[in-house]
Amino acid sequence: MGQLLYRWIKRLEPVRTSELAELSGASIPTVYAALKTLDPQCLQRDEDRRVFLSGFSTYDWQKWLTLSTDSPSVKFVDRSGSPRSPEKLARELAKLGRSDVAVGGVLGALHYYPALDITGTPHLDIVVHGSPSTDLSFVAQLDPGLERDDAPSAYANVVVHFVNRPFSLFETRDGVVWADVLECMVHLWDAHLIHQVENLIRHIAPDGLPALVGD
């Protein structure tokens, strides 16, 4: 569903179901099952039987965001007592020059929508194009004081997310690799920044409809 939603907000052409499976890394039956869960008024097919979204309902936004936050993530906590700011950590990440690691979360959302109504960044969200088994030793290069802590109660300074699909959808601008806007939105939702999610949806939705996710 995420690939179809991405194509909608980017105003890309309709796509065949087989191509959608290839882009997402899912099986064709899985793609068909996901399509059946969408609002029939939002899912359309052209004369070549290619699928596309004509809209996305509030219910579909809520469901997609909630399901997307179930993806695995890893937390890192600063043990030095003098944590670096998320902005500083993001600058250090850019210095590594890695194309498979991107900035997401609040900083990523602000990249796509500088007028986003938010003050402060709770932590740095990093997105790795890979699986949870990917080597994360690069995090220590951002700040040696960062240590992995998987305890649910741990206050994270860095949260690492994973996108395990054929194409990362990352974009590079001014030397910084950014996660796609939908991935950043999921991070805001996971941080309970509902108002900011609503603002971002209003900004990127092609039909301009105010999808009030929090209602």
Side-chain angles (χ1 to χ4, degrees):
M1 189 185 302
Q3 283 286 338
L4 198 59
L5 184 56
Y6 178 81
R7 297 184 70 84
W8 177 58
I9 65 170
K10 291 293 185 179
R11 296 170 173 81
L12 300 177
E13 65 181 14
V15 64
R16 297 186 185 279
T17 306
S18 58
E19 294 175 297
L20 200 56
E22 182 179 350
L23 290 168
S24 63
S27 67
I28 292 180
T30 297
V31 171
Y32 272 119
L35 294 178
K36 288 181 180 180
T37 67
L38 293 172
D39 185 335
Q41 295 182 337
C42 296
L43 182 65
Q44 305 291 326
R45 293 182 183 273
D46 66 9
E47 62 277 7
D48 295 322
R49 303 299 295 167
R50 297 181 302 175
V51 296
F52 65 96
L53 290 176
S54 60
F56 210 58
S57 70
T58 297
Y59 172 75
D60 283 332
W61 275 115
Q62 292 173 327
K63 181 170 61 176
W64 177 77
L65 286 162
T66 300
L67 288 174
S68 297
T69 56
D70 287 339
S71 300
S73 62
V74 174
K75 295 189 294 185
F76 287 84
V77 177
D78 183 272
R79 302 297 189 192
S80 69
S82 301
R84 295 180 178 180
S85 69
E87 293 79 5
K88 172 64 175 175
L89 292 171
R91 289 193 292 271
E92 293 298 320
L93 181 65
K95 292 178 183 179
L96 299 182
R98 293 182 54 158
S99 60
D100 63 330
V101 180
V103 176
V106 171
L107 294 180
L110 286 169
H111 163 70
Y112 292 105
Y113 186 28
L116 185 67
D117 180 19
I118 192 168
T119 56
T121 305
H123 54 254
L124 175 65
D125 286 283
I126 295 175
V127 184
V128 173
H129 187 205
S131 70
S133 62
T134 301
D135 181 9
L136 301 181
S137 59
F138 72 89
V139 175
Q141 296 177 258
L142 310 183
D143 187 339
L146 290 169
E147 297 180 5
R148 180 168 175 169
D149 191 333
D150 294 323
S153 60
Y155 175 82
N157 297 91
V158 173
V159 179
V160 180
H161 311 267
F162 305 91
V163 289
N164 193 12
R165 57 196 179 205
F167 305 95
S168 69
L169 304 181
F170 296 167
E171 70 168 47
T172 302
R173 188 177 301 175
D174 299 327
V176 180
V177 183
W178 301 98
D180 70 272
V181 65
L182 292 174
E183 184 70 22
C184 297
M185 185 189 296
V186 171
H187 303 162
L188 298 185
W189 181 264
D190 197 32
H192 306 292
L193 298 172
I194 307 303
H195 176 64
Q196 287 72 24
V197 171
E198 292 174 344
N199 286 345
L200 193 53
I201 289 175
R202 293 189 186 103
H203 179 66
I204 67 173
D207 52 18
L209 292 177
L212 301 177
V213 179
D215 286 0

